[in-house]
Amino acid sequence: MIVLGIETSCDETSAALVKDGRLVLSNIIASQTEIHAPYGGVVPEIAARRHIEVIGYIVDRALDDAGLNLSDIDGIAVANGPGLTGALLVGLNYAKALSYANKKPLVGVHHIEGHVCANYLGGDLTPPFLSLVVSGGHTVILAVEGYDTYKVLGSTRDDAAGEAFDKVARLLGLGYPGGPIIDKLAREGRADAYPFPRAKVDGLDFSFSGLKTAVSQAINGTANATARYTKARKPKPDIAPSQDISTADIAASFQQAVVDVLVDKTLKACKQVGYSQVALAGGVACNHGLRSTMQAACDASGVELFMPQPIYCTDNAAMIAARGYYSLINGVVDGLELNAYSNKLV
Ligand code: KG4
Ligand code: ZN
């Protein structure tokens, strides 16, 4: 079964063709990062307008890349939430029109479940397994009991992990999106330079807002120290804060604080449900610190770890097609009344 996937939930316009939920035939992604960068975040209205401009071209490119026509596909899967409503509606309406005009079954896909299914692409992972989904909008631990059964075990009470990366990058004046920049900078810093807090939240939930405040205080402390040092006009190179060194140290210490909590709770959850497989998903799953620390922790606990290639961690339509496949093979289809929604945890 060949499924056309369509994804427009945030600032990536993507279309993909995936065979039997596993084999990627094409995966085209048009990123709007440069358009939103001057604003320090995604501007919903601009995102929706840009999706409209490129969606037709992106779907055509995906078909061309796979060497297929619309008549060759067996169904259409589209992300219809959670996400930016205006952005989602572009992909959803395009998918509905294609479905109606070409008489192809349509199915709406939950964006977070799509992220989880990125682990099926080119791999042999099968449920049950535990999944940690860490993206710009969500931080959630899921028990994936079957291809169609997702149970939320824990989620964030405030900021998502990716959101924390983006906000800390903004505090450090590093640009947008902050995750990849902090990831790179952290490799040059000392992860134990700043003892940032590991939020103690009950159960399997997360909280990252206190950590963001602690980073902000550390940055202000550095700025104050720089100001005091300049005022005193007594050069003391051994104690003078070097902006470069402290920025890398802050990035490394912040990243480690996020990673420690994510790894700790994921392994706790895994033990709780008694699964032997863990799958990472979402944009933050690209993070080198998270990937290596999670790998070491899983190895030490005898748990098998699955991680999608980075291109399938951030938003893409191949993961949406993979999720849609497991609905379509069970005869699950949606009608033209299918709507978009902004928020819902699976
Ligand atoms: O999954 P995604 O593409 O979109 C959402 O569904 O939100 O995730 C985007 C998020 C952004 O917050 C971005 O900063 C973060 O993923 N991200 C990273 C890395 N690459 C992307 N965070 C940490 N380290 C990275 N290497
Ligand atoms: Zn996403």
Side-chain angles (χ1 to χ4, degrees):
M1 179 185 275
I2 295 175
V3 175
L4 166 66
I6 295 181
E7 157 65 42
T8 62
S9 66
C10 191
D11 62 340
E12 261 93 34
T13 318
S14 181
L17 286 140
V18 176
K19 191 173 177 208
D20 297 335
R22 302 268 170 174
L23 180 66
V24 181
L25 305 176
S26 65
N27 183 40
I28 307 294
I29 304 168
S31 173
Q32 303 176 8
T33 302
E34 280 178 23
I35 297 173
H36 299 285
Y39 305 96
V42 177
V43 183
E45 177 70 17
I46 295 176
R49 285 171 188 269
R50 184 65 185 154
H51 287 313
I52 292 171
E53 285 168 8
V54 301
I55 182 79
Y57 172 72
I58 295 302
V59 170
D60 290 350
R61 274 276 318 269
L63 287 163
D64 281 355
D65 247 39
L68 298 171
N69 294 310
L70 277 170
S71 57
D72 300 319
I73 67 167
D74 301 296
I76 301 171
V78 60
N80 67 318
L84 303 171
T85 312
L88 286 162
L89 283 170
V90 177
L92 177 57
N93 285 316
Y94 200 84
K96 281 185 192 178
L98 285 179
S99 161
Y100 183 72
N102 296 280
K103 299 186 176 55
K104 302 289 178 185
L106 171 76
V107 70
V109 165
H110 191 286
H111 180 80
I112 299 177
E113 295 179 7
H115 271 300
V116 172
C117 295
N119 283 282
Y120 298 145
L121 300 170
D124 54 9
L125 173 67
T126 55
F129 60 89
L130 194 99
S131 188
L132 171 70
V133 187
V134 268
S135 70
H138 300 93
T139 298
V140 51
I141 296 180
L142 296 169
V144 184
E145 296 172 346
Y147 287 109
D148 254 331
T149 325
Y150 299 77
K151 203 155 103 194
V152 177
L153 302 180
S155 64
T156 183
R157 295 194 179 171
D158 38 59
D159 294 345
E163 194 180 355
F165 269 93
D166 294 338
K167 285 180 177 171
V168 164
R170 197 178 310 162
L171 287 172
L172 289 168
L174 295 174
Y176 171 85
I181 306 172
I182 290 196
D183 188 357
K184 197 161 165 233
L185 195 59
R187 296 192 221 186
E188 296 157 26
R190 290 178 300 133
D192 59 355
Y194 292 85
F196 291 136
R198 273 66 173 159
K200 302 248 180 312
V201 185
D202 290 346
L204 297 172
D205 282 348
F206 301 95
S207 166
F208 294 109
S209 64
L211 172 59
K212 188 184 61 196
T213 306
V215 172
S216 162
Q217 283 165 349
I219 293 168
N220 289 333
T222 304
N224 290 342
T226 308
R228 277 200 302 277
Y229 167 72
T230 311
K231 207 170 164 195
R233 294 195 188 174
K234 283 184 191 157
K236 287 184 184 168
D238 55 328
I239 61 155
S242 152
Q243 200 57 46
D244 284 340
I245 291 170
S246 58
T247 303
D249 283 350
I250 287 174
S253 302
F254 158 76
Q255 180 173 293
Q256 196 59 51
V258 174
V259 166
D260 282 352
V261 174
L262 293 176
V263 171
D264 178 55
K265 296 248 169 165
T266 301
L267 284 161
K268 265 192 192 131
C270 198
K271 208 165 167 191
Q272 198 170 299
V273 292
Y275 290 171
S276 59
Q277 308 181 110
V278 164
L280 286 187
V284 183
C286 293
N287 187 270
H288 290 81
L290 176 60
R291 289 172 93 96
S292 60
T293 309
M294 190 70 86
Q295 186 68 67
C298 285
D299 289 349
S301 307
V303 169
E304 195 177 357
L305 178 63
F306 294 79
M307 298 183 277
Q309 290 173 39
I311 192 68
Y312 300 132
C313 287
T314 45
D315 289 349
N316 67 89
M319 68 185 196
I320 302 300
R323 175 64 189 92
Y325 166 79
Y326 287 104
S327 294
L328 291 167
I329 48 162
N330 288 325
V332 177
V333 290
D334 286 303
L336 294 179
E337 72 287 351
L338 182 67
N339 210 343
Y341 55 88
S342 61
N343 217 343
K344 185 174 75 171
L345 278 182
V346 302

